Amino acid sequence: DAALLHLEKVRAQATVAQRLASKQASNYARHKPQLTEALSRANAARAELRSAERQLQKTRLTAPFSGQLEQIQLAQGQYLQAGEKLGYLYSATKMEVRLPIQDRWLNLLDIPHNASSASMSIPVTLAGSFGGRQHTWDALIQRREGGINNNHMSWLIAELSLKNNDPVLEPGVYVEARLLGRTIEDLIVLPRSALTDDQHVWIINPEHQLAKRAVEWLYRDNRSVYV
């Protein structure tokens, strides 16, 4: 603005000087070099403005999806480094939930051996408390993260798409996941105490005698064993 104001002032002075100048008047008296200098200053100011606008464009970050921003780690005037975290953005309509599952439970689900790279679509119901009330959300297990940690746990990734009437699932809310396992034929549920030495159960044979029967158990908990 100052450079443009200076240019308009010099133009006005040059117009007056050229009207009053005699034929022998010098270019300086006609304000020609002053006008050239004012034009150069205005052009330089325009160039600086364009450069500032380009730099301003680089400071504008556009999120890849609509969501809510939290934990902003940014202050005015702060210098940023490449790859520096500025905050956390999460979607309010589509989220991922990491569900820990023991390695020995994977055979109860219909999950292929290459599940870490294969796409899945296993329905799962998530239940949790939010806002002082219990809520449930329907989701789909889409994949499994490869690898098993020291506790023999792996992770199933459930994708949740909220509908208009669904309560918001805030990050950090603990949920319980319930999902159906694969169909297993000829499965018998026995009390946990019926299993001896992890491989046998006692039965009454056709001769009405007590005998040991070798079994292959699929799953067991504190109360029951599934053979």
Side-chain angles (χ1 to χ4, degrees):
D1 291 343
L4 293 178
L5 181 61
H6 175 68
L7 175 61
E8 293 300 322
K9 180 180 178 180
V10 173
R11 276 177 174 170
Q13 293 174 348
T15 300
V16 173
Q18 289 174 12
R19 287 178 181 175
L20 301 178
S22 63
K23 294 182 179 180
Q24 292 80 20
S26 65
N27 289 335
Y28 184 83
R30 295 173 184 272
H31 279 63
K32 289 186 176 181
Q34 294 92 322
L35 182 59
T36 301
E37 183 272 337
L39 285 170
S40 299
R41 184 186 300 186
N43 291 333
R46 293 191 185 98
E48 291 180 0
L49 178 61
R50 289 193 295 269
S51 176
E53 290 175 344
R54 287 194 297 269
Q55 292 179 2
L56 181 61
Q57 288 291 336
K58 296 180 180 180
T59 65
R60 296 174 180 173
L61 303 180
T62 303
F65 56 85
S66 299
Q68 299 184 23
L69 187 63
E70 65 172 12
Q71 299 183 22
I72 301 176
Q73 303 170 359
L74 190 63
Q76 184 175 358
Q78 175 183 344
Y79 286 96
L80 302 179
Q81 301 294 331
E84 183 176 354
K85 292 183 179 180
L86 307 181
Y88 293 89
L89 180 74
Y90 66 90
S91 172
T93 58
K94 188 173 183 179
M95 306 185 71
E96 287 189 348
V97 182
R98 299 175 75 240
L99 304 174
I101 183 171
Q102 293 188 19
D103 175 55
R104 60 189 180 92
W105 291 355
L106 292 176
N107 65 334
L108 300 179
L109 304 175
D110 191 14
I111 297 179
H113 295 295
N114 61 340
S116 58
S117 59
S119 59
M120 296 181 287
S121 185
I122 302 176
V124 57
T125 300
L126 306 176
S129 177
F130 178 69
R133 300 178 59 184
Q134 285 291 124
H135 301 283
T136 59
W137 298 269
D138 294 327
L140 288 175
I141 293 177
Q142 300 286 12
R143 67 186 189 277
R144 179 177 70 87
E145 288 187 355
I148 299 175
N149 62 17
N150 294 333
N151 296 323
H152 295 280
M153 304 286 286
S154 59
W155 300 89
L156 299 178
I157 308 302
E159 290 189 2
L160 170 68
S161 296
L162 295 178
K163 303 177 180 63
N164 293 333
N165 297 327
D166 290 341
V168 176
L169 179 58
E170 294 284 349
V173 174
Y174 287 95
V175 294
E176 181 183 85
R178 296 183 179 180
L179 62 159
L180 293 177
R182 61 184 175 90
T183 302
I184 303 173
E185 302 292 340
D186 301 326
L187 186 67
I188 299 175
V189 183
L190 299 176
R192 174 67 182 268
S193 58
L195 185 65
T196 63
D197 62 28
D198 282 348
Q199 295 180 352
H200 297 84
V201 295
W202 290 99
I203 65 168
I204 301 295
N205 62 21
E207 289 75 27
H208 303 285
Q209 296 174 336
L210 193 62
K212 267 188 176 184
R213 170 73 60 84
V215 295
E216 179 183 353
W217 59 270
L218 183 66
Y219 175 74
R220 62 183 179 180
D221 53 29
N222 294 330
R223 296 192 304 173
S224 305
V225 58
Y226 298 79
V227 300

